[in-house]
Every structure is written in C-alpha cells, then in structure tokens.
C-alpha cells in the first residue's frame, strides 16, 4: 500500500484556490467567512462551495481555516459555521480553540493549527488521542525533532515548507495585542515583528539603531522534500493566504515538481490527488515575493536567518553594476526589461528601489541614479517578463481517460475508465446503418470521441470492439462524447473517497497540569476541556489581562545574540554584547531574556519607551 504525499496550497479566494489545484496542488486551505487567523481573507460559503466542486473532481481536498480563539458568545456562531461548511463537503477544519471540541460538531476531520504550537511528541500524541486527524507542526522543528514525533504518533503530520515566517512560536506572540490592541490569535495581527527596533546593551549603549531585528527571511524547503518525507511528513504546506494568484501559480508549480521528483525515486509514495498537470512555464522561486530565503531550523541552528536591513521583498539577485554614466549604468548579470523593478542596499544598508525606464543590452536607464555606484549589487523585485507570463493561462490539469466503443443492433455502448480505476458506461439506442466506408468511419469514431477540447479530460485511447459499427453522423458522435464525459464526471464524484471521523469525549491526560496565558484559553468551553483532561490551574488568555507590563509577549527560537555572533555559549560573547539587552521601537521597551538551555529567547515588555524623539 502506497502513502500519499499532499501538496497543500493557500487560497486567498476561490479563484486562487482553483488556480492552485490546476497547477498541481493536492489540497488547498481557505478562510471561512469568520474566525480565520487572517481576518481579511474570509470567503463566502458560495465561493467555498465553488472551490469544493472544482477540487473534488480531481480528488483534491479543501480545508477551511477557523483557527482563532473564540469568546463564549462566538462559540454558537462558530458551531453553526462548522455545520455549514461540512454541508458543503469540505474535507477538514483547521482549528486552534479547544473549546470547539466541547460542542456538538459534525463528523468533519479536525486539523490542529500550528497556532497551538505543536512541538513535542507528548503534545502531538495528546491531540491525536482527543480526536484530531492531523497536526500541523511548529515551524521551528528540525528533521530530528519531526522524526521523534513521528516515532511516537500515528496521526497525519503537516509541515510548512515555504513562505513568510512568524518569528515567534505560533500562537504565543502577544506583541500585536500589546502595542496595537490587535490579537494575532484573533486574526488581526498588526505584524510589529516587521517594524524597526534599536538594540541597547547593559550600559544603555545603542548597539544597533533602527533595524528590522525581529524580521525573518522567508522559508524555502524545496530542496528538503525527501528528507521531510523520511522524517514523517505527508502534507507540505505553502504559507500565503494573503498572496495573489501569480505568487500561488509560481510557488505551487515549483513544489509540484519537487514533490514529484521525490515520488519518482520512492515507489512507496504517490500523489494525493488525480490528474496530469501540464505546466507551460518554468517556475522560479527567486522571481516571486521573498525577503531572501532560509531553511530555518530544519537542519539545526544557523546565524543568518533574519532580514535585518529590510522587511520587504528583495526578489531575485540580478547582477552587479560595472559602470555608471550620467543617466545610465551597465550591468554584469541578468537580462532586464522596461518596467522591471530593481532594489539595492545603499551604503547605510537601507533598501532603495528604482524602476527600469529603458534597457538596451547591458545598458540600463533607471528612474533615478541616486546611490547607484560601481559594485552595487542589484535585485529584481518586480519581473515584468515573468509577470506577463503568469497573467496568461500557465497550466492545465486533466484526467486521463480510455474509451471503449461498442455497437450492435440495439444501439451504442460507451465505456470510459480513468487512471483512478473509475469505470462508467453510457448507452444510447441508435439504428445500425451500414457504413459505405467502414475504415473511414472507424477513424472518425476515434477522432471525435478523442476530442475533449477545454474539458478536464484527456482521452488517451479509443478502442472499437469488433468490426460491427455502422454509419454515425458526426454530430451524433460529438453528442455521445459530451454525454459520456458528463456521466463519467458524476461517477467520479460518487466514487470519491470521503473523509469522516467520529469523536467521543475522553479523559486522556494533558501533558501539563498547569497552563499559563500561552494556552490561549479565552472561553469557558476551552477551560472545561482542559479541566476534563486533568489540568488543575488554567490562566486566562493574554487578551483578557488588564496589566501586561513584565509579561513575556514573544517566545522564539530565533536569537538576536546568535544572529550577531554573540551566543552566550561561546567564550567571550558576554564581552562582545554586554547584558542585559533590550530593544525598543520608539514607543515600547522590551527586555530580552535568554534561556540558553532550551536555546530560546523571550521578549518581555518593560513599558513605554522613555527616550525622547525616537
């Protein structure tokens, strides 16, 4: 028995989700009308239903995100919404709030959001025991940590492989709530991690002034798919429910190829959905939005994972300036087009942008020459040619089909079989009229039954049983083909494997007997859930706290000391960066606390910033 590997893509809208399916995604995740962790990426039930119909034809899946923490008054609305999306036929529900497990939910598979910070075998095993069908792992895990979880659990494991990284442990960042009154766990994160901060040492000296100290590069694990499979991952998730269609087309296509390459070398694995995907462009992850790429902690700790100089996309390295004139420069490197967007880091390491007004060979006439000098390294963050390609139809996905034609005095019988082994039969009475040119008629039968046009089928073969066929008008052949394909579609959908699960409350002990605000318990049902599972002390969610000064507002495996080559485990590092360290954004001051035994950094709110003019 083979194991299916799933490529999971984001869907800001139903149309983007359908494009992801067409480009090879085995599943998509999309926001519900309410209660998603990206509040601006909600979708109507009608649009979700449209996406479900498109995906299910290819046996692809649709998961709905309802992964915020909920108030007591919101729980009944959430329950009704879950029943509604279940009626639409969605294949799974991504949730964070355990209070939902105390409600009378339909038998829809539940997926534990990464917002629950699923980072240990004990935590994942508990989630499996209480009824989750899949667990989305914490982004910070290494291959060995993932493998350890796999050894002690049997639940499906999903991992992020591409896209923006939250610097904090997911679900345990309260900085947005602190500075803007907008809770990330309620779907309205203000992304203060992408702001500028200054770093000061124990003497109050400014070590780094106004850099993006908490902004990480983007994740790219496209070269680690085989190792992730070996570690136990079966669902590979692309981040980006706010991303537009061009981004999704490019990234999904790149990962489709990467996963297929792994499958080709591993006969024990196959794709999780059906159809042959024809991608008619060359995907390139450097030619789409990115802040520079990192493989994060997948192979252990590395220093260069932050994007300290910018929080914006830098795009593709394109070349180096080798000569400057009054209004142009010469470039050694890539080819540019009129309208391309370029950027570079100036002498202060600030990101500067410019536009290509005219390009002629290696001569480039930009919108401005300010800051451009010999040796300047350029990046292209808007690719005019690539964008033009992605605006067109860039992929086609079809179900391979074999057709058998039979005719006798009772009429015509058509049999279709697809690559999933689904067989359909369509019969129609038609008088048997002798064909004056039997061989020519036979050729026409094959030709017209093979014409699938813009349908989602590709007829690979047409066989004609016996030589007993008569004259058939070409319009009749076309009509028979349309009726057969419509009938086969209904048979495919009737035969589609349907995921379902029945859950019953149990008393499986939770791994901890006391929970801090980081458990994000916002409603009484969540409190009841943890109490039933043996938790004795449950602190309220951060969002309910009246006083937050002195609270840890972020916990992260990213370490500013390590990033700056001043790890406390290294001899002499204390002298290089004297403790205690703090950061501020000009309005709020935070103390950095380092748990070196666990290689974690805690960001603790100290209060308002006292430095004037910052």
């Amino acid at each position: 028995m083979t194991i299916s590997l799933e490529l999971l893509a984001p869907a800001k809208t139903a149309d983007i989700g359908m494009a992801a399916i067409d480009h090879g995604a085995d599943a998509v995740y999309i926001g519900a009308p309410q209660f998603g962790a990206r509040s601006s990426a909600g979708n109507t039930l009608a649009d979700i239903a449209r996406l479900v119909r498109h995906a299910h034809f290819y046996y692809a899946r649709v998961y709905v995100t309802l992964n915020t923490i909920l108030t007591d008054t919101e729980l009944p609305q959430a329950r009704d919404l879950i029943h509604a999306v279940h009626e639409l036929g969605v294949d799974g529900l991504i949730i964070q709030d355990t209070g939902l497990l105390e409600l009378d939910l339909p038998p829809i598979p539940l997926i534990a959001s990464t917002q629950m910070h699923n980072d240990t075998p004990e935590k994942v095993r508990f989630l499996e025991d209480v009824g989750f069908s899949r667990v989305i792992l914490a982004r910070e895990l290494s291959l060995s940590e993932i493998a350890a979880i796999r050894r002690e659990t049997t639940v499906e494991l999903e991992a992020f492989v591409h896209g923006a990284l939250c610097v904090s442990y997911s679900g345990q960042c309260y900085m947005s709530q602190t500075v803007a009154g907008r809770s990330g766990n309620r779907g309205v994160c203000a992304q203060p991690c992408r702001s500028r901060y200054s770093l000061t040492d124990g003497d109050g000296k400014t070590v780094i002034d106004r850099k993006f100290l908490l902004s990480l590069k983007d994740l790219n694990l496209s070269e680690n798919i085989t190792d992730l499979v070996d570690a136990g991952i079966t669902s590979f998730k692309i981040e980006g429910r706010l991303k537009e269609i061009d981004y999704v087309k490019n990234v999904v296509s790149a990962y489709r190829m990467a996963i297929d390459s792994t499958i080709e070398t591993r006969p024990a694995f196959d794709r999780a959905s059906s159809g042959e995907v024809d991608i008619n462009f060359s995907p390139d992850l450097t030619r789409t939005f990115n802040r520079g790429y990192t493989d994060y902690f997948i192979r252990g700790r590395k220093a260069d994972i932050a994007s300290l100089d910018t929080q914006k996309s830098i795009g593709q390295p394109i070349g180096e300036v080798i000569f400057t004139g009054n209004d142009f420069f010469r470039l050694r490197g890539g080819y540019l087009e009129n309208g391309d967007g370029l950027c570079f880091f100036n002498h202060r390491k600030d990101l500067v942008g410019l536009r290509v007004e005219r390009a002629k060979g290696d001569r480039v006439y930009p919108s401005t020459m300010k800051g451009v000098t010999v040796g300047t390294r350029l990046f292209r963050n808007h690719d005019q040619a690539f964008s033009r390609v992605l605006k067109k139809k860039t992929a086609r996905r079809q179900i391979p089909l074999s057709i058998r034609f039979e005719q006798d005095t009772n009429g015509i019988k058509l049999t279709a079989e697809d690559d999933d082994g689904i067989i359909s039969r369509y019969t129609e009475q038609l008088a048997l009229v002798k064909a004056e040119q039997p061989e020519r008629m036979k050729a026409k039968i094959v030709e017209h039954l093979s014409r699938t046009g813009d349908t989602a089928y590709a007829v690979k073969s047409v066989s004609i049983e016996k030589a007993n066929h008569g004259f058939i008008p070409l319009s009749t052949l076309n009509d028979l083909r349309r009726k057969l394909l419509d009938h086969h579609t209904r048979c495919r959908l009737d035969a589609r494997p349907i995921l379902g699960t029945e859950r019953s409350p149990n008393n499986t002990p939770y791994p901890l007997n006391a929970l801090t605000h980081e458990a994000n318990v916002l409603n009484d049902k969540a409190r009841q859930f943890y109490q039933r599972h043996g938790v004795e002390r449950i602190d309220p969610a951060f969002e309910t706290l009246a006083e937050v000064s002195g609270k840890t507002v972020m916990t992260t495996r990213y370490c500013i000391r390590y990033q700056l080559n001043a790890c406390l485990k290294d001899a002499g590092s204390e002298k290089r960066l004297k403790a205690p360290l703090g950061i501020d954004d000009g309005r709020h001051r935070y103390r950095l606390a380092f748990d070196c035994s666990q290689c974690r950094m805690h960001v603790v709110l100290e209060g308002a910033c006292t430095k004037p003019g910052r």
Side-chain angles (χ1 to χ4, degrees), residues 214-255:
L214 298 176
S215 183
L216 299 185
K217 295 179 179 180
D218 288 351
L219 183 66
N220 181 348
L221 299 183
S222 58
E223 296 182 1
N224 296 273
I225 298 300
T226 300
D227 291 329
L228 286 165
V229 170
D230 290 342
I233 299 300
T234 54
S235 180
F236 304 86
K237 187 173 197 171
I238 298 167
E239 181 276 339
R241 274 200 301 122
L242 297 179
K243 293 294 194 293
E244 300 298 337
I245 194 167
D246 289 5
Y247 177 92
V248 172
K249 282 183 175 183
N250 183 38
V251 178
V252 168
S253 298
Y255 277 87

Side-chain angles (χ1 to χ4, degrees), residues 9 16 21 38 157 179 213 234 274 349 358 422 575 594:
I16 293 176
I21 297 294
R38 299 289 186 273
L157 298 180
V179 303
L213 295 177
T234 54
S274 307
K349 292 189 177 181
R358 183 162 61 93
I422 307 302
K575 295 180 180 179
F594 300 92

Side-chain angles (χ1 to χ4, degrees), residues 177-191:
Q177 174 69 28
T178 300
V179 303
R182 294 171 53 181
S183 168
N185 283 315
R186 300 275 289 154
V188 286
C189 180
Q191 294 191 317

Side-chain angles (χ1 to χ4, degrees), residues 495-516:
R496 183 183 66 86
I498 297 177
L499 302 176
T501 182
E502 296 291 343
R503 289 174 299 276
S504 58
N506 60 50
N507 298 320
T508 300
Y510 189 73
L512 302 173
N513 60 14
L515 297 176
T516 69

Side-chain angles (χ1 to χ4, degrees), residues 408-477:
D408 57 25
T409 55
N410 295 319
I412 291 174
K413 182 168 84 169
L414 297 174
T415 303
E417 182 174 1
D418 61 34
D419 276 8
D420 292 303
I422 307 302
I423 298 174
S424 65
R425 295 177 177 84
Y426 180 78
T427 60
E428 189 164 305
Q429 291 198 352
L430 188 69
L432 182 59
V433 179
K434 183 178 179 181
E436 294 183 0
Q437 297 177 295
E439 288 304 312
R440 184 180 180 188
M441 190 69 245
K442 180 178 180 181
K444 289 294 182 183
I445 292 172
V446 172
E447 177 188 347
H448 283 261
L449 291 183
S450 299
R451 287 182 178 176
T452 52
D454 291 331
T455 72
Y457 292 104
V459 175
K460 299 300 185 182
S461 66
V462 177
S463 61
I464 299 178
E465 297 298 311
K466 306 177 183 178
N468 190 23
H469 62 80
F471 171 77
I472 305 171
L474 300 186
S475 60
T476 300
L477 279 174

Side-chain angles (χ1 to χ4, degrees), residues 88 110 131 147 186 209 228 266 316 325 337 362 381 428 447 510 534 545 589 610:
L88 298 180
L110 296 182
R186 300 275 289 154
D209 189 38
L228 286 165
R266 302 295 179 92
Q316 178 188 30
E337 275 201 10
D362 67 350
N381 55 7
E428 189 164 305
E447 177 188 347
Y510 189 73
L545 301 181
R589 171 85 183 163
T610 57

